[in-house]
Amino acid sequence: MRRLPAIGEGDLLIVTDLQNDFCAGGALAVPGADELVPVINRLAEAFAHVVLTQDWHPPGHLSFASSHPGRGPFETVQLACGEQILWPDHCVQNSHGAGFHADLAIPHAELILRKGYRAEVDSYSALYENDRCTPTGLTGYLRERGLRRLFLAGLATDFCVYYTALDARLAGFETVVLLDACRAIDRDGSLAAALAAMRAAGVEILG
Ligand code: VGL
Ligand code: ZN
């Protein structure tokens, strides 16, 4: 990381969704995901506090295109809680694809936060589900632990990292996205839009 500031006790690294289904050969492979693993392993050594998130969907999750007859992956549908991009089946609970990349090595990670486990609601953000009103509990965890500045790495820059960053700002956390330690899905300009929205929300983007 080119310009990582001094890291202290109030700082947390959130490693987002470094799971087999988002890596090479996975159901929703993000370009360049595998090369992140050594980068993030090394990065994590600088942090006393690390949280891992794990996308963790039940079979038949509403975000899966296969749950919408006649629809295909990457189409958009209107759900009760807003627009939903339909994804290939991915990160199904207890499947190999839902497991962390075999080379991810962060033994001091303090918490593994699973998300997206409600069949009817997707959850990109680590703080709130996509209905925007169901908390995951992470905000309370961070406040109780005195963690005030969040550094974000992982997958995908323009979905889960992006939503986590915006929610973190809304909750009042200083938020830094470590861009070299993230990779994007980048469909229909989603990466550029996410970067612009994060900057507008006061998220610091470090290359
Ligand atoms: C993600 C799409 C669906 C992500 C998770 O980790 O960014 N993207 N589920
Ligand atoms: Zn998902």
Side-chain angles (χ1 to χ4, degrees), residues 17 22 28 55-57 63-64 87 90-91 115 122-124 160:
D17 297 0
F22 296 122
L28 182 45
D55 212 33
W56 195 250
H57 301 306
S63 76
F64 296 169
W87 305 107
H90 66 280
C91 298
K115 59 186 181 59
D122 209 356
S123 186
Y124 297 151
C160 289

Side-chain angles (χ1 to χ4, degrees), residues 18-42:
L18 261 190
Q19 295 166 256
N20 293 317
D21 267 342
F22 296 122
C23 293
L28 182 45
V30 179
D34 295 76
E35 69 200 30
L36 279 188
V37 176
V39 172
I40 288 179
N41 286 344
R42 202 169 335 109

Side-chain angles (χ1 to χ4, degrees), residues 20-96:
N20 293 317
D21 267 342
F22 296 122
C23 293
L28 182 45
V30 179
D34 295 76
E35 69 200 30
L36 279 188
V37 176
V39 172
I40 288 179
N41 286 344
R42 202 169 335 109
L43 178 64
E45 291 173 9
F47 287 82
H49 305 292
V50 182
V51 168
L52 312 180
T53 71
Q54 189 171 28
D55 212 33
W56 195 250
H57 301 306
H61 191 260
L62 208 60
S63 76
F64 296 169
S66 61
S67 303
H68 302 263
R71 301 301 187 123
F74 308 108
E75 288 182 30
T76 300
V77 294
Q78 205 61 39
L79 298 182
C81 62
E83 254 193 14
Q84 170 76 49
I85 300 180
L86 298 178
W87 305 107
D89 290 26
H90 66 280
C91 298
V92 173
Q93 295 169 0
N94 279 337
S95 67
H96 172 78

Side-chain angles (χ1 to χ4, degrees), residues 118-197:
R118 289 186 176 82
E120 313 295 320
V121 191
D122 209 356
S123 186
Y124 297 151
S125 161
L127 282 70
Y128 277 92
E129 304 204 12
N130 286 13
D131 61 6
R132 317 310 303 143
C133 64
T134 305
T136 64
L138 187 63
T139 306
Y141 177 90
L142 299 175
R143 295 229 168 97
E144 283 206 309
R145 302 287 319 284
L147 298 163
R148 291 180 303 277
R149 184 167 58 161
L150 312 185
F151 290 78
L152 308 187
L155 306 168
T157 323
D158 43 348
F159 289 93
C160 289
V161 173
Y162 164 46
Y163 275 63
T164 296
L166 287 197
D167 281 349
R169 289 298 302 137
L170 280 175
F173 296 102
E174 228 183 296
T175 308
V176 183
V177 169
L178 301 172
L179 211 50
D180 291 347
C182 297
R183 291 293 181 274
I185 293 174
D186 200 12
R187 292 190 73 94
D188 302 326
S190 57
L191 176 59
L195 290 173

